[in-house]
Amino acid sequence: MTETTPYDADRARFTRQALARLVLCDHAVDVADHASGLVATEWDADTGPGGRVSQAFQLIELAERALAAAVIYERERGSSWAEIAQYLGIGPAQAEERFAADLDGWNTAFDVPYRLDETGRKRIPQLPTAAYDPDSACYLLDRWASVQRVGIDAVSSGLVMAAPKKGCPPVTP
C-alpha cells in the first residue's frame, strides 16, 4: 500500500534526521510526563499495592522506546554503530542487532506509509505520529517545552530542515 499521506507535503519540508529528532522529542516528553507522576506523594494512599512499581515499570518501557528513537536519530544524523555502541556498553554488532527491527520499521515506513487494519478497511500510518504530522508535532512539542520552561521554540528551532526548492522561500516549522 503505497498511497500518499495527507501530510506528505508538510513532511517534505523536514529531513529524515529532523523527523527522527521529533520522534525522539515526543518519546522524551512521554518519559518526562510519566516520571512526574512518581514525584507527588499526596495520592499514595489511593494507589493500590504495587501501584508505584507499575508506574516505574511503565517508565522503563517508555524509556526503551525513547532509546530506540535515539538510536534511529543518531543513525539518521550519521553516527556509526561503534559510536552508538560505546554509550550502550556493548559492541557495534550487538547494537546493530538490538535495534535492527526498529531501524527497519523506520525505513520501511517511508516506502509503505500505511498498513491495513485487520478488517482490511482502515489505513494505519506506519510512521510515528510526530514524523507523520511534523507540523503539529513541532507546535505541541514547542508548547510543552515552553510550559516546562525549556525554552521558546526549543524543539523546532534546532531541526535540520530540507533545502527549499528553487524559487521557494525558506519555511520554518
Side-chain angles (χ1 to χ4, degrees), residues 19-173:
L19 295 173
R21 187 63 170 102
L22 284 174
V23 172
L24 175 54
C25 292
D26 194 43
H27 286 306
V29 165
D30 285 345
V31 171
D33 285 347
H34 281 80
S36 70
L38 286 168
V39 174
T41 61
E42 99 181 270
W43 306 112
D44 281 356
D46 296 332
T47 303
R52 295 300 180 212
V53 171
S54 172
Q55 283 180 283
F57 186 71
Q58 184 179 27
L59 191 57
I60 292 169
E61 291 172 342
L62 293 170
E64 286 289 333
R65 286 187 208 152
L67 176 59
V71 168
I72 290 168
Y73 168 67
E74 287 298 335
R75 291 296 293 165
E76 286 292 347
R77 71 186 275 214
S79 296
S80 70
W81 284 113
E83 291 166 328
I84 292 168
Q86 75 180 357
Y87 294 103
L88 298 172
I90 58 178
Q94 290 172 295
E96 185 173 4
E97 182 180 333
R98 178 175 173 183
F99 295 100
D102 297 303
L103 214 52
D104 286 345
W106 172 256
N107 290 324
T108 300
F110 286 94
D111 296 328
V112 183
Y114 294 106
R115 71 171 172 79
L116 292 176
D117 72 354
E118 51 281 345
T119 68
R121 292 179 284 185
K122 184 177 178 187
R123 298 184 324 164
I124 310 290
Q126 294 304 288
L127 281 171
T129 303
Y132 181 75
D133 182 3
D135 285 337
S136 178
C138 281
Y139 172 77
L140 293 171
L141 291 166
D142 278 339
R143 194 169 88 188
W144 183 91
S146 178
V147 168
Q148 299 300 319
R149 297 191 172 125
V150 174
I152 304 296
D153 296 335
V155 175
S156 62
S157 65
L159 296 175
V160 177
M161 301 300 287
K165 295 178 181 168
K166 287 191 175 205
C168 294
V171 183
T172 57

